């Protein structure tokens, strides 16, 4: 299998796949940044979404991935960085993130003041993909730094030092959840600097692709039940019967993994899903959902046995 097989398997346009391969050849990665190259733990499934993201990046645009929890925003961002062979620079925004964290701050080294480069500065220099996680939690001070970086100027002014131009391969991918505590509406000036993908909710087809690629040795019937757990919880979350805390795809996949050690599927799913909520009444609802899909009597053989 080649590195683009998951794209070919989904029928992503051949022209886009070839253009991504050409992009890799055109823009190399320095030795200093090679440790930031990464292979995603999950493949992203969604032909239309992948094609939109790839087309935007090929034309020099930045992306904003918006949607509720468990729609694969970070997974898509990591997959795009992998597809285009770029080093990844993660920035997790929170209320204390400021411009110095992004660009850099003064530090005293070798008896002189030097700039300790921030993640955005490094990303701009190395032609990386900057993943701006929860960008709608950023303070105005931090967001203002991004304006010249994200628009046609493609540059960063470093106060007290100089202006640097972005490497031609550099791109920025923002992610944002709806309605999380501490989030706010993004201002129009910032949104206008992105192309926006509204991430679709997971469905049985997308989950089937992920589970079967990650667990090809698992029994089909067991995989269907694990997928059913997620779909049932997603529906209850959409109906406001439970919060999004138990709606954790990474947790469910981790549960599938640890069943391989011999742990019972019920105990594994408790660790991966049920125990993610600390509300007693919500936990009861989640347990009921899991029990209808994953019987207490199941052993690892019911999931992986021949």
């Amino acid at each position: 299998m080649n590195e683009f097989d998951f794209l070919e398997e989904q029928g992503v346009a051949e022209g886009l796949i070839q253009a991504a391969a050409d992009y890799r050849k055109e823009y190399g990665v320095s030795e200093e940044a090679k440790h930031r190259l990464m292979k995603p733990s999950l493949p992203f499934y969604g032909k239309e979404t992948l094609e939109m993201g790839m087309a935007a990046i090929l034309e020099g645009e930045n992306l904003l991935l918006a949607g509720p929890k468990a729609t694969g925003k970070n997974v898509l961002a990591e997959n795009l960085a992998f597809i285009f062979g770029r080093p990844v620079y993660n920035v997790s925004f929170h209320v204390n993130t400021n411009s110095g964290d992004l660009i850099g701050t003064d530090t005293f080294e070798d008896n002189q003041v030097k700039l300790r480069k921030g993640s955005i500065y490094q990303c701009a220099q190395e032609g990386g993909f900057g993943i701006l996680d929860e960008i709608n939690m950023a303070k105005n001070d931090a967001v203002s730094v991004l304006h010249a970086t994200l628009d046609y100027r493609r540059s960063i002014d470093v106060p007290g030092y100089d202006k640097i131009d972005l490497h031609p391969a550099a791109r920025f991918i923002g992610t944002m959840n709806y309605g999380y505590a501490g989030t706010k509406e993004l201002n129009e000036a910032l949104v206008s600097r992105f192309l926006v993908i509204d991430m679709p909710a997971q469905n049985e087809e997308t989950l089937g692709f992920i589970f079967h690629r990650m667990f090809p040795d698992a029994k089909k019937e067991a995989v269907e039940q694990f997928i059913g757990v997620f779909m049932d919880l997603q529906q209850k979350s959409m109906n406001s019967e439970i919060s999004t805390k138990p709606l954790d795809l990474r947790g469910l996949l981790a549960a599938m993994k640890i069943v391989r050690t011999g742990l019972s599927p019920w105990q594994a799913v408790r660790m991966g899903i049920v125990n993610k909520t600390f509300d007693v009444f919500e936990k009861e609802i989640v347990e009921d959902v899991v029990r209808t899909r994953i019987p207490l009597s199941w052993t690892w053989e019911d999931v992986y046995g021949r």
Side-chain angles (χ1 to χ4, degrees):
M1 288 189 177
N2 65 57
E3 53 203 357
F4 294 138
D5 70 304
F6 75 103
L7 299 178
E8 295 166 356
E9 189 177 332
Q10 297 178 58
V12 170
E14 289 183 13
L16 288 174
I17 297 175
Q18 184 57 53
D22 293 342
Y23 190 102
R24 282 180 165 222
K25 291 177 183 175
E26 182 177 359
Y27 301 116
V29 179
S30 71
E31 287 299 323
E32 293 78 10
K34 280 187 176 177
H35 71 285
R36 289 185 174 273
L37 293 171
M38 63 179 295
K39 184 171 184 178
S41 56
L42 294 176
F44 184 85
Y45 185 85
K47 175 180 180 290
E48 184 177 309
T49 303
L50 279 166
E51 289 184 339
M52 288 191 291
M54 292 172 68
I57 284 168
L58 286 166
E59 290 302 320
E61 300 293 335
N62 301 299
L63 284 168
L64 178 60
L65 311 179
K69 182 181 177 182
T71 49
K73 296 180 291 295
N74 288 92
V75 173
L76 174 58
E78 291 169 359
N79 272 259
L80 288 171
F82 172 71
I83 290 166
F84 288 93
R86 305 313 303 163
V88 173
Y89 295 82
N90 284 292
V91 180
S92 293
F93 283 97
H94 50 80
V95 293
N96 294 320
T97 305
N98 58 44
S99 57
D101 298 323
L102 305 180
I103 298 177
T105 55
D106 288 332
T107 185
F108 196 69
E109 185 180 325
D110 297 329
N111 292 321
Q112 57 183 317
V113 176
K114 293 184 179 180
L115 177 69
R116 184 177 64 192
K117 298 172 184 177
S119 49
I120 297 294
Y121 190 117
Q122 295 176 58
C123 182
Q125 274 195 320
E126 298 291 348
F129 277 20
I131 300 177
L132 312 175
D133 200 22
E134 306 294 356
I135 194 171
N136 55 334
M137 293 186 74
K139 295 188 301 185
N140 291 337
D141 168 62
V143 168
S144 63
V145 169
L146 299 174
H147 285 180
T149 309
L150 296 171
D151 67 17
Y152 67 92
R153 290 168 284 183
R154 290 180 59 82
S155 62
I156 299 175
D157 260 314
V158 186
Y161 291 89
D162 201 355
K163 179 175 81 73
I164 66 164
D165 294 323
L166 268 65
H167 186 291
R171 301 288 187 273
F172 292 93
I173 304 174
T175 72
M176 58 177 281
N177 284 296
Y178 302 142
Y180 266 25
T183 61
K184 60 182 181 180
E185 287 288 324
L186 291 180
N187 66 58
E188 291 181 23
L190 184 61
V191 174
S192 70
R193 287 162 166 81
F194 291 99
L195 290 180
V196 182
I197 295 179
D198 192 12
M199 299 293 290
Q202 300 286 358
N203 57 45
E204 290 183 9
E205 183 181 4
T206 61
L207 292 173
F209 176 84
I210 293 168
F211 273 82
H212 289 302
R213 279 189 68 95
M214 290 191 66
F215 310 105
D217 54 337
K219 288 185 175 180
K220 181 182 176 182
E221 298 79 8
V223 168
E224 288 174 352
Q225 293 308 315
F226 272 79
I227 290 172
V229 167
F230 187 89
M231 295 301 298
D232 292 347
L233 292 175
Q234 182 173 257
Q235 188 60 49
K236 287 190 176 294
S237 178
M238 291 172 66
N239 294 339
S240 300
E241 295 176 56
I242 60 172
S243 70
T244 58
K245 290 178 182 177
L247 194 64
D248 189 342
L249 181 55
R250 287 191 185 92
L252 191 61
L253 293 169
M256 277 283 288
K257 286 181 184 178
I258 63 176
V259 169
R260 286 196 183 115
T261 67
L263 192 68
S264 79
W266 165 245
Q267 292 289 1
V269 176
R270 281 187 67 190
M271 294 170 66
I273 295 292
V274 178
N275 292 344
K276 294 291 176 72
T277 179
F278 302 100
D279 180 273
V280 175
F281 298 105
E282 183 175 67
K283 185 173 285 189
E284 288 179 358
I285 295 172
V286 176
E287 283 182 342
D288 287 343
V289 169
V290 173
R291 282 191 182 123
T292 61
R293 296 283 187 174
I294 313 292
L296 290 171
S297 59
W298 268 18
T299 67
W300 73 271
E301 291 182 331
D302 292 290
V303 178
Y304 292 106
R306 297 290 180 185

